[in-house]
Amino acid sequence: MKKFVFTNEKYQGIKENEYERLKLDMQNVDKEIDMENAALKRLEESFDTERERFAADCRRGVGARELLSYQSYFDYLQQERSLQLDRLAKLHERKRELTEALLAVHNELRVLEEMRQEQYQQYCKEVAADEAKELDAHISFTIYERAV
C-alpha cells in the first residue's frame, strides 16, 4: 500500500518558517514601538517640567541670557520630539508592512492546507479503489477455485 505524500510539503514548511519569522519580527517591532512611546513620554514630561520652570522664572523676571538659554533648550526638545515622532511613524509603517506580509503568508498557508486536504481525499479514494480491486480479484479467484 502506498503512503500519502503531500506534493507541496517542503513549500509549506518554508511558508510556516516564514510565518514564524514574521511573527517574531512583529513582536520585536511592537517592543520597539513601546520603547519609543516611553521615550516620547519622558521627553514630553521633561518639556512640561521645563515649561513650568520657565513660567515660574518669568513671574520672577528673566534676563536675556536666561531667556536665550530656555529658547535653545526648548528648540532642542522640539527637535528631539520631532525625531522621536519620525521614528515612531517609521515603526508603525514597518508594523503595517509586517501585518500585510503575515496576512499574505497566512492566506498561502490556508490554501496549502486546503490543497493538502484535497490531495488526501484523492489518496483515500485511490486507496479505496485499490482495495476494491483487490477484494474483487480475491473474490473472483475464490469463486474460480471453488468452481474448479
Side-chain angles (χ1 to χ4, degrees):
M1 175 173 262
K2 67 180 185 177
K3 182 180 171 186
F4 173 70
V5 177
F6 179 49
T7 56
N8 291 322
E9 190 76 36
K10 287 183 181 180
Y11 183 68
Q12 186 174 16
I14 290 169
K15 285 299 175 179
E16 286 170 351
N17 289 338
E18 182 181 358
Y19 187 75
E20 291 303 316
R21 183 188 56 79
L22 287 170
K23 281 180 21 181
L24 286 174
D25 286 351
M26 180 69 83
Q27 290 173 351
N28 290 336
V29 167
D30 283 337
K31 287 178 186 176
E32 288 181 45
I33 287 173
D34 290 342
M35 290 181 355
E36 292 296 329
N37 277 331
L40 182 62
K41 184 177 179 182
R42 286 190 304 272
L43 191 63
E44 288 176 349
E45 288 172 353
S46 174
F47 184 79
D48 290 341
T49 302
E50 210 49 44
R51 191 173 48 211
E52 289 171 7
R53 187 177 299 149
F54 175 69
D57 284 350
C58 282
R59 283 194 284 291
R60 280 182 266 139
V62 179
R65 185 174 289 165
E66 292 173 329
L67 192 58
L68 187 58
S69 174
Y70 275 116
Q71 178 62 39
S72 63
Y73 186 63
F74 285 143
D75 288 343
Y76 165 76
L77 289 176
Q78 285 292 58
Q79 287 175 340
E80 286 298 311
R81 184 176 184 276
S82 177
L83 290 172
Q84 200 76 31
L85 290 173
D86 288 344
R87 284 189 290 259
L88 269 172
K90 288 177 184 174
L91 285 171
H92 283 290
E93 177 64 21
R94 174 77 175 129
K95 184 175 181 174
R96 187 190 61 74
E97 291 169 358
L98 284 172
T99 301
E100 289 175 1
L102 271 169
L103 184 61
V105 171
H106 177 73
N107 288 339
E108 282 186 63
L109 284 171
R110 195 181 79 237
V111 168
L112 285 168
E113 187 57 36
E114 289 172 5
M115 288 172 61
R116 179 187 196 91
Q117 291 300 324
E118 288 175 14
Q119 281 187 357
Y120 184 71
Q121 289 173 357
Q122 185 65 31
Y123 165 78
C124 289
K125 287 178 184 177
E126 289 174 10
V127 167
D130 289 346
E131 287 176 353
K133 283 181 187 177
E134 288 178 24
L135 187 59
D136 283 346
H138 180 68
I139 291 174
S140 295
F141 182 72
T142 305
I143 292 174
Y144 177 74
E145 274 188 352
R146 287 187 186 171
V148 174

